[in-house]
Amino acid sequence: MPERLYRWTKQRLRQQLAVVQGDRAPSVVLKEATYLNHARRKWLTANIWVTEDRIVYVGDEMPTKTTGTEIVDCKKSFVVPGYIEHHAHPFQLYNPHSFAKYASSRGTTTLINDNMMFFLYLEKKKALSIIEALNELPATMFWWCRYDAQTEVLDDAFFSHSKMKEWLEHPLVIQGGELTSWPKVLNGDDSILHWMQETTRLRKRIEGHLPGASERTLAKMALLGVTCDHEAMTGEEVVRRLNLGYMTSLRHSSIRPDLPKLLKEMRELGVDYFDRCLLTTDGSPPSFYENGVMDQLIKIAIDSGLDPIDAYSMASYNVAKYYQLDHKLGMIAPGRIAHLNILEAIDQPNPKAVLAKGQWLVREGRQCEGFEAFPWEKFGIGPLEIDWDLSESDLSFSMPMGIEMANAVILKPYQISVEPTDQELATTHDESFFVMIDKNGKWLIATMIKGFATHVLGFASSFSNTGDIILIGKNVSDMIAAFRALKKQGGGMTLVEDGNVIGSMTLELFGVLSAKPMQEIMEEEKKFVTLLRERGYKHEDPIYSLLFFSSTHLPYIRVTQRGIYDVKKKTVLFPAIMR
């Protein structure tokens, strides 16, 4: 149960005391380990005793009782706390279970997760039951509570008072945000401000989303309760946040691989104190993580010349201290959960062995047992069921304005230059048909998109921010075929040419997430992205493109459930058409 992370039962506390008193044997002892002591900012040598899921002793002594104890010689090793990803979006094709399993194998044993998908797709009781079940894994999993849907939705009941209250008060929810709707708050939205106040009253943190924010805007948001932001894109923007007292997260993701640049510019600006800095990968697609999770970022920081203690702190102790969890996480000291990474060398953060809640997940570089398959079906989560059909006659492309991709995630309006009366477009230009359809078949938006690809004939995806279906292509017949292939496989992505499916990715959960292990998802994603790039997709990341078509925290226009939406003017330019 969630309370386990805040206290152990009296019986278990007595058992832990008995180990230190010499009346019981510990589970594991890491003998003569050189470990990172964050209280002193030093590498010290000690014996680390673990009993079940807790560190019970760190010091010079060895236990007097060792019956059944596993004693591991760590004389030539280095031990650091398990890493913490404080800004995870565990819904980028992978699911929270598969991502936690993979991240833990690379030493990231604690995740603080976006709740968007569960919040929008599941009723409250079921969603909260799932996050409690996920926390029984060897990884530790905390959550945020979103204040808005990050898009224009037809059903405003998603953010009912009772639902928000129970999410925010849940012990596994430790922050509000990320606050993508901050302009609404500044412009008078008191409903969101109310939940920000409640978050502060509960002594939980508020994560901002403030790209390009001026000093004055940052000051305003600090007054309203925002305590951290991960959107700095230059060293100067990092310093601006630090100067105003923000905890500042340095991002390195698939579309913003900024960490080397940020660290270089910060040091040029005189930053030599990193206790107010965190690290995040900001929910990147699967293949980004081939080189690791937080271990990848720690390595970049060390290679950039940072003191290794600072590099490890930004992915462990600094995070735990900021979230007021350092009494349980982020340190190697008595009373903390036994998340421990054993390293070959200080400058090699990819661990050769990982203990998570006292359980071996990696030993001598080999994956151990530890994550059983998660019972999604128990919570009624399975493939996307589409009980309606689509025909060519449903699609009419008469809208005078199309959407143009300035990059992977920024959309601009554009004047359509081709005549979309035919059912097929030439491959000599980068304009294509674009359709977004309600996953229940009730409404659709049909227009043109410029800049997605030149040779994609028929593409369908149920992977989107809201789970609504996106069709893109040069050929309406192939787009319909892609939709029907998507329907048959229960959601995901399909690519069709001349009526034949040439690529597909099945997403078995909601039609948005894969149930497969992370390594398999990586390979599927790479193959599918390669197919898109071979057909003219030229931007940084098509997975982000699909996710953000409807996301109203980005400029300039978005395709939402209400229609094509002008983000700046906050108006619907062209409404969705009911079918």
Side-chain angles (χ1 to χ4, degrees):
M1 296 299 294
E3 287 297 318
R4 161 178 162 182
L5 288 180
Y6 292 82
R7 69 179 186 216
W8 282 263
T9 64
K10 289 189 285 293
Q11 181 182 9
R12 292 186 70 193
L13 289 171
R14 294 295 180 191
Q15 291 170 349
Q16 292 162 2
L17 281 175
V19 173
V20 182
Q21 291 166 348
D23 299 325
R24 292 172 63 98
S27 307
V28 177
V29 173
L30 305 183
K31 184 179 179 182
E32 295 184 58
T34 299
Y35 79 102
L36 180 52
N37 184 304
H38 282 292
R40 295 185 58 196
R41 281 187 59 87
K42 289 183 179 294
W43 296 91
L44 304 178
T45 301
N47 301 310
I48 302 168
W49 305 4
V50 173
T51 294
E52 295 179 339
D53 61 348
R54 199 177 196 190
I55 300 169
V56 296
Y57 174 84
V58 180
D60 296 332
E61 296 183 26
M62 285 291 288
T64 54
K65 288 195 174 183
T66 57
T67 303
T69 300
E70 181 181 7
I71 298 176
V72 182
D73 184 0
C74 291
K75 189 178 292 185
K76 296 181 180 180
S77 302
F78 299 86
V79 184
V80 294
Y83 312 138
I84 306 172
E85 167 55 283
H86 85 103
H87 193 87
H89 296 269
F91 306 111
Q92 307 286 46
L93 303 181
Y94 44 81
N95 65 69
H97 175 269
S98 60
F99 185 62
K101 180 175 183 178
Y102 178 78
S104 296
S105 74
R106 301 286 303 224
T108 302
T109 51
T110 299
L111 300 171
I112 303 176
N113 296 314
D114 184 359
N115 77 327
M116 177 75 85
M117 197 70 66
F118 288 161
F119 197 95
L120 293 181
Y121 282 68
L122 298 172
E123 56 91 11
K124 174 182 60 183
K125 183 177 180 180
K126 185 178 292 184
L128 295 177
S129 295
I130 287 179
I131 70 170
E132 291 172 12
L134 285 166
N135 197 56
E136 294 301 310
L137 301 172
T140 294
M141 301 184 79
F142 291 110
W143 297 82
W144 333 335
C145 178
R146 289 274 191 166
Y147 300 129
D148 75 296
Q150 201 171 281
T151 187
E152 292 294 303
V153 293
L154 292 174
D155 185 0
D156 293 328
F158 283 126
F159 293 87
S160 68
H161 186 278
S162 64
K163 191 174 183 181
M164 289 293 297
K165 185 173 187 295
E166 285 202 44
W167 268 97
L168 274 176
E169 292 180 350
H170 196 281
L172 291 176
V173 174
I174 61 173
Q175 79 173 9
E178 60 183 296
L179 185 57
T180 55
S181 55
W182 59 271
K184 287 185 178 180
V185 182
L186 290 182
N187 289 325
D189 189 322
D190 277 349
S191 62
I192 294 178
L193 183 57
H194 168 77
W195 294 118
M196 293 172 67
Q197 289 181 300
E198 279 298 290
T199 307
T200 301
R201 183 185 68 79
L202 293 165
R203 300 190 177 184
K204 298 182 180 186
R205 303 302 192 180
I206 298 177
E207 176 72 17
H209 181 99
L210 306 167
S214 67
E215 186 177 62
R216 183 169 294 190
T217 296
L218 289 167
K220 291 176 184 177
M221 298 315 300
L223 288 177
L224 298 180
V226 176
T227 50
C228 181
D229 186 69
H230 61 283
E231 286 290 334
M233 291 176 274
T234 66
E236 189 276 331
E237 290 184 350
V238 173
V239 171
R240 189 185 304 164
R241 285 158 173 75
L242 293 173
N243 286 348
L244 293 174
Y246 278 75
M247 205 73 180
T248 305
S249 188
L250 311 182
R251 175 174 53 192
H252 192 78
S253 68
S254 62
I255 59 172
R256 297 293 326 182
D258 293 338
L259 186 56
K261 172 177 174 283
L262 291 176
L263 291 171
K264 178 177 181 293
E265 293 177 356
M266 288 168 65
R267 297 179 79 176
E268 289 172 350
L269 291 168
V271 176
D272 56 6
Y273 179 77
F274 294 88
D275 285 11
R276 299 285 298 177
C277 294
L278 313 177
L279 299 174
T280 182
T281 60
D282 197 13
S284 294
S287 59
F288 176 82
Y289 293 107
E290 281 190 306
N291 295 321
V293 187
M294 301 313 291
D295 56 309
Q296 176 185 179
L297 274 57
I298 295 167
K299 179 65 173 169
I300 291 171
I302 293 173
D303 290 347
S304 297
L306 222 63
D307 183 328
I309 292 178
D310 284 321
Y312 286 107
S313 297
M314 289 192 293
S316 57
Y317 178 65
N318 291 3
V319 189
K321 186 176 180 182
Y322 166 65
Y323 286 103
Q324 303 172 83
L325 294 168
D326 51 312
H327 62 301
K328 289 288 182 285
L329 294 166
M331 293 182 73
I332 298 176
R336 276 65 180 183
I337 296 169
H339 290 316
L340 298 165
N341 293 333
I342 301 175
L343 315 178
E344 291 276 8
I346 288 175
D347 63 354
Q348 296 180 25
N350 182 13
K352 66 178 181 180
V354 177
L355 274 171
K357 292 181 182 171
Q359 179 177 340
W360 290 110
L361 294 186
V362 176
R363 193 75 192 275
E364 296 177 354
R366 294 194 301 273
Q367 186 88 34
C368 305
E369 296 297 322
F371 280 77
E372 302 301 326
F374 191 76
W376 295 106
E377 65 285 349
K378 174 183 173 182
F379 299 95
I381 299 173
L384 178 65
E385 295 182 3
I386 300 173
D387 60 1
W388 50 275
D389 198 17
L390 189 69
S391 67
E392 294 184 26
S393 62
D394 291 315
L395 305 183
S396 173
F397 300 93
S398 58
M399 194 177 291
M401 187 195 79
I403 56 176
E404 179 178 0
M405 297 180 67
N407 59 32
V409 297
I410 303 299
L411 301 179
K412 300 189 300 183
Y414 90 102
Q415 191 72 34
I416 295 171
S417 63
V418 298
E419 183 59 48
T421 54
D422 295 331
Q423 297 295 83
E424 187 172 2
L425 299 172
T427 57
T428 54
H429 56 76
D430 64 352
E431 293 180 61
S432 305
F433 298 118
F434 179 97
V435 183
M436 181 178 282
I437 315 173
D438 173 34
K439 59 189 171 186
N440 297 311
K442 295 180 180 179
W443 54 260
L444 64 79
I445 300 159
T447 184
M448 304 284 289
I449 185 168
K450 179 176 174 60
F452 183 81
T454 54
H455 287 72
V456 169
L457 301 187
F459 169 73
S461 172
S462 57
F463 177 80
S464 66
N465 187 31
T466 53
D468 296 313
I469 295 167
I470 295 167
L471 306 179
I472 300 174
K474 296 280 189 174
N475 184 294
V476 172
S477 177
D478 280 338
M479 292 165 65
I480 297 296
F483 165 77
R484 288 174 177 164
L486 180 80
K487 175 179 176 178
K488 184 177 180 180
Q489 71 183 31
M493 301 182 199
T494 55
L495 192 62
V496 168
E497 284 182 3
D498 302 322
N500 299 311
V501 177
I502 61 167
S504 68
M505 181 184 296
T506 301
L507 300 176
E508 305 94 331
L509 310 175
F510 304 118
V512 178
L513 313 176
S514 175
K516 299 181 183 70
M518 191 74 168
Q519 290 85 345
E520 290 185 35
I521 307 168
M522 287 179 186
E523 293 306 312
E524 288 189 2
E525 178 214 354
K526 285 191 293 184
K527 288 178 182 177
F528 204 93
V529 169
T530 296
L531 290 172
L532 291 177
R533 291 199 183 282
E534 289 172 349
R535 285 154 181 80
Y537 180 89
K538 62 184 180 181
H539 304 295
E540 298 93 336
D541 194 327
I543 305 305
Y544 265 117
S545 297
L546 294 168
L547 186 68
F548 286 154
F549 274 131
S550 63
S551 296
T552 52
H553 67 293
L554 294 164
Y556 293 90
I557 60 170
R558 298 285 125 181
V559 188
T560 75
Q561 292 183 356
R562 295 185 183 274
I564 296 183
Y565 183 80
D566 186 314
V567 174
K568 186 175 182 180
K569 295 180 180 178
K570 298 178 177 55
T571 57
V572 175
L573 301 177
F574 297 95
I577 304 300
M578 301 307 292
R579 294 181 70 230

